[in-house]
Amino acid sequence: MSQIMHIKALAALTKPICVLILILFCLTINTTPTTAATFTGDLLKQPASEVIISLGTSTNELKFEPSHLEFSAGKRYTLRLTNPSQLKHYFTAKDFADGIWTQKVQAGKVEIKGAIHELELKPTAEAEWVFVPLKSGKYALHCSIPGHTQAGMIGEITIAN
């Protein structure tokens, strides 16, 4: 008799937990795709704020201009990268790239989609990176060509909430 009472008591305790888990599971299934579609749809309709950064200068100085970039989470941006120098440069900011949603990178007649961690710009090249910052924080920016970081080709990217 006591075993039956223990089983009934256990069933009485686990039933509300199972119902709660089931409700949460159903809410997640029903809202996540809709929310994601609305989020993406709204972002694509949002005009992108343009930010221009030069990798190097026309006199071949090894620096980013500007060296500090600021973005707000949840807003859409077009980062226009230019290389006015006669040297190739890299825009390297992996942690920043991990904290954003990239819509596309366009260079010339080529459009690239998906995860991007580094962009190489050959002399006089231009590219645009359309993205939405998701994760606030401060991120390091540098040119990964040997000697360029040491010569001062560094910067910082800030994403605010």
Side-chain angles (χ1 to χ4, degrees):
M1 184 84 166
S2 67
Q3 280 185 331
I4 293 174
M5 290 178 66
H6 288 306
I7 292 172
K8 285 183 179 181
L10 184 60
L13 289 174
T14 58
K15 187 175 181 180
I17 293 171
C18 290
V19 170
L20 180 62
I21 290 171
L22 183 60
I23 290 170
L24 290 174
F25 180 74
C26 290
L27 287 174
T28 303
I29 288 175
N30 290 332
T31 61
T32 302
T34 305
T35 304
T38 302
F39 181 69
T40 304
D42 289 346
L43 288 176
L44 296 177
K45 292 176 188 173
Q46 186 184 105
S49 298
E50 185 175 85
V51 175
I52 300 171
I53 184 169
S54 292
L55 283 67
T57 67
S58 58
T59 58
N60 293 326
E61 291 178 83
L62 300 176
K63 64 181 183 178
F64 292 104
E65 287 187 342
S67 61
H68 184 81
L69 302 171
E70 292 187 31
F71 303 105
S72 295
K75 291 182 72 178
R76 189 169 168 241
Y77 292 92
T78 296
L79 182 60
R80 189 166 312 282
L81 300 112
T82 64
N83 181 359
S85 77
Q86 296 304 309
L87 305 169
K88 78 174 177 179
H89 296 294
Y90 288 93
F91 182 95
T92 307
K94 183 187 178 315
D95 293 336
F96 162 74
D98 287 342
I100 65 172
W101 172 75
T102 295
Q103 180 182 349
K104 69 175 180 173
V105 171
Q106 185 144 2
K109 295 180 181 181
V110 176
E111 185 174 301
I112 301 137
K113 298 184 184 225
I116 307 293
H117 290 110
E118 180 176 68
L119 295 176
E120 175 186 327
L121 270 73
K122 295 186 186 310
T124 69
E126 293 186 11
E128 69 177 39
W129 191 348
V130 182
F131 63 90
V132 176
L134 302 173
K135 184 178 170 189
S136 63
K138 291 187 186 236
Y139 305 97
L141 167 65
H142 71 280
C143 178
S144 59
I145 293 176
H148 288 206
T149 298
Q150 295 78 1
M153 200 161 183
I154 57 172
E156 183 178 72
I157 302 169
T158 302
I159 298 175
N161 280 334

